[in-house]
Amino acid sequence: MGEKMGFQNQGFMRLSGLLFLSILVLCRADVQYYDFFLQESQFTKLCSTKNVLTVNGSFPGPEIRVQRGDTVFVNVHNQGNSAVSIKWEGVENSTAGSNDLIQPGRNFTYEIELNDEIGTLWWHATSAWASATVHGAFIVLPAANEDYPFPAPDHDQTIIIGEWFRQELTEANQTIAPGQADAYTINGHPGETTGCSNDTTFEYQVDYQGLYLVRVINAVNETMVFGIASHSLTIVGQRGAYSRRSFTNSLTLAPYQVIDVLFCANQNLGHYYITARPSSSTTRSTTGILRYTTTST
Ligand SMILES: *[C@@H]1O[C@H](CO)[C@@H](O)[C@H](O)[C@H]1NC(C)=O
Ligand SMILES: *[C@@H]1O[C@H](CO)[C@@H](O)[C@H](O)[C@H]1NC(C)=O
Ligand SMILES: *[C@@H]1O[C@H](CO)[C@@H](O)[C@H](O)[C@H]1NC(C)=O
Ligand SMILES: *[C@@H]1O[C@H](CO)[C@@H](O)[C@H](O)[C@H]1NC(C)=O
Ligand SMILES: *[C@@H]1O[C@H](CO)[C@@H](O)[C@H](O)[C@H]1NC(C)=O
Ligand SMILES: *[C@@H]1O[C@H](CO)[C@@H](O)[C@H](O)[C@H]1NC(C)=O
């Protein structure tokens, strides 16, 4: 009898401990505020200059970085020439009415309530023509009292695979068929193979033996293949959730897919190509560079 009571008591204590913990977790969830300014910005790429719609003048746009369970308010001020709305990919619960277009000169505040989402999500304009330049990462880190379910990385890096068109994209471009881009980009850089002296190359500096978490976002309406020469990748997350670990030399990302990988900088000091290409072509790739820092003594 007494033993049974003890058992029940223990169970009760464990249960109330759990309740207490989850109340703590709830209390720690924060409210975060972001401001996005949609504006026309001038860029020179592929030897030509044009105006495109951006958030805060940057391509890709600014990164949102919050913790699991946070509530995020994003006030989008439309200072551009076209009506736009933003889609929060992978977020289960964001404000109703979020499909309404924000007219030029107006603003709208999205409320994004995070629940279990963890890892990498992203945001982009709903229309295809605007989405080509209006997009960015939405990163959900573990809550303050949580760890990653894998060895903690020394650093994390977002890589957004994008595309660039020489021609203007307008509201006439409600869809963009695969294979229409003039070049692919890594974090906005077309790389060194375009033959234009003004084009820049994405560089990622790493330390020997460091462990890196790379968040790869495919912002292109094509299946893309991504890899880092001589480095194997461990998949740890997909679609705003942790995933079973699996090892690979290259990632195949469906249109608009996101994959989180870990890699160890365990090769000879030097530099290695980072490549992204459509799965349909081996010649239309864009490259970046992974560079090992050389410690100067
Ligand atoms: C966008 O720019 C505005 C004005 O410069 C700034 O206040 C805001 O913090 C920026 N937003 C982000 C997400 O960087
Ligand atoms: C979404 O948020 C609203 C407003 O806070 C809430 O009433 C609703 O239950 C939430 N839905 C889900 C699926 O979490
Ligand atoms: C527009 O922005 C102003 C100033 O930042 C803010 O007070 C207001 O609530 C915003 N309106 C909407 C609909 O988000
Ligand atoms: C955008 O629309 C214009 C007009 O319909 C068309 O000529 C052009 O090919 C489209 N661009 C892309 C990338 O689909
Ligand atoms: C993506 O490509 C498919 C064809 O593969 C097309 O039907 C669809 O409309 C495109 N989506 C966008 C947003 O352009
Ligand atoms: C392109 O680069 C050249 C040489 O660095 C420079 O003189 C020129 O102004 C640049 N053009 C543009 C449009 O930025």
Side-chain angles (χ1 to χ4, degrees):
M1 219 18 198
E3 227 178 300
K4 200 175 171 204
M5 278 290 283
F7 184 75
Q8 278 175 343
N9 270 337
Q10 235 181 2
F12 175 73
M13 275 170 68
R14 227 179 262 149
L15 187 66
S16 50
L18 272 178
L19 280 175
F20 181 62
L21 255 181
S22 56
I23 286 165
L24 267 185
V25 168
L26 282 177
C27 288
R28 281 198 189 139
D30 266 329
V31 179
Q32 312 282 354
Y33 298 90
Y34 283 84
D35 279 292
F36 278 12
F37 287 84
L38 279 165
Q39 46 199 215
E40 310 285 335
S41 318
Q42 199 175 66
F43 284 89
T44 301
K45 292 185 198 294
L46 314 181
C47 306
S48 72
T49 300
K50 68 169 183 173
N51 277 326
V52 296
L53 192 63
T54 62
V55 169
N56 280 23
S58 76
F59 167 68
E63 186 163 287
I64 288 178
R65 198 168 260 265
V66 296
Q67 289 183 319
R68 189 184 205 138
D70 282 356
T71 296
V72 189
F73 290 94
V74 185
N75 190 353
V76 180
H77 308 256
N78 191 350
Q79 299 178 338
N81 302 326
S82 314
V84 173
S85 67
I86 304 285
K87 182 160 193 231
W88 311 92
E89 285 286 349
V91 174
E92 282 180 11
N93 202 359
S94 61
T95 344
S98 56
N99 288 324
D100 294 348
L101 293 171
I102 307 165
Q103 298 298 325
R106 306 295 291 268
N107 67 305
F108 179 77
T109 303
Y110 293 90
E111 178 178 352
I112 300 144
E113 238 182 76
L114 296 171
N115 297 310
D116 285 338
E117 296 92 340
I118 187 89
T120 312
L121 315 171
W122 67 297
W123 55 268
H124 62 92
T126 15
S127 353
W129 70 272
S131 177
T133 49
V134 175
H135 60 239
F138 190 120
I139 290 168
V140 186
L141 298 167
N145 56 337
E146 284 178 338
D147 287 324
Y148 288 106
F150 43 79
D154 297 309
H155 181 250
D156 76 286
Q157 173 70 44
T158 303
I159 287 193
I160 303 186
I161 303 170
E163 56 191 336
W164 193 262
F165 302 84
R166 278 196 193 86
Q167 300 295 316
E168 303 268 333
L169 293 175
T170 66
E171 283 165 59
N173 302 97
Q174 286 300 316
T175 62
I176 295 175
Q180 302 302 299
D182 294 301
Y184 298 96
T185 56
I186 295 179
N187 288 353
H189 303 275
E192 59 190 20
T193 56
T194 63
C196 295
S197 62
N198 296 72
D199 285 339
T200 49
T201 299
F202 170 70
E203 279 209 25
Y204 184 23
Q205 291 228 343
V206 293
D207 292 325
Y208 181 65
Q209 295 294 21
L211 182 65
Y212 295 88
L213 174 59
V214 180
R215 307 165 181 280
V216 189
I217 298 170
N218 180 14
V220 176
N221 189 14
E222 279 178 81
T223 300
M224 300 295 289
V225 179
F226 172 88
I228 305 175
S230 305
H231 291 76
S232 72
L233 310 170
T234 306
I235 297 175
V236 292
Q238 286 190 59
R239 296 182 193 92
Y242 294 127
S243 64
R244 254 188 65 203
R245 278 187 239 180
S246 63
F247 304 92
T248 180
N249 287 320
S250 72
L251 298 179
T252 300
L253 299 109
Y256 314 127
Q257 195 185 358
V258 176
I259 302 182
D260 289 352
V261 295
L262 278 178
F263 81 91
C264 184
N266 56 5
Q267 298 300 302
N268 293 329
L269 296 190
H271 58 271
Y272 298 85
Y273 279 116
I274 299 169
T275 56
R277 63 169 178 85
S279 64
S280 58
S281 162
T282 50
T283 55
R284 303 192 68 220
S285 63
T286 177
T287 56
I289 292 171
L290 178 80
R291 195 180 290 283
Y292 281 63
T293 49
T294 42
T295 41
S296 47
T297 44

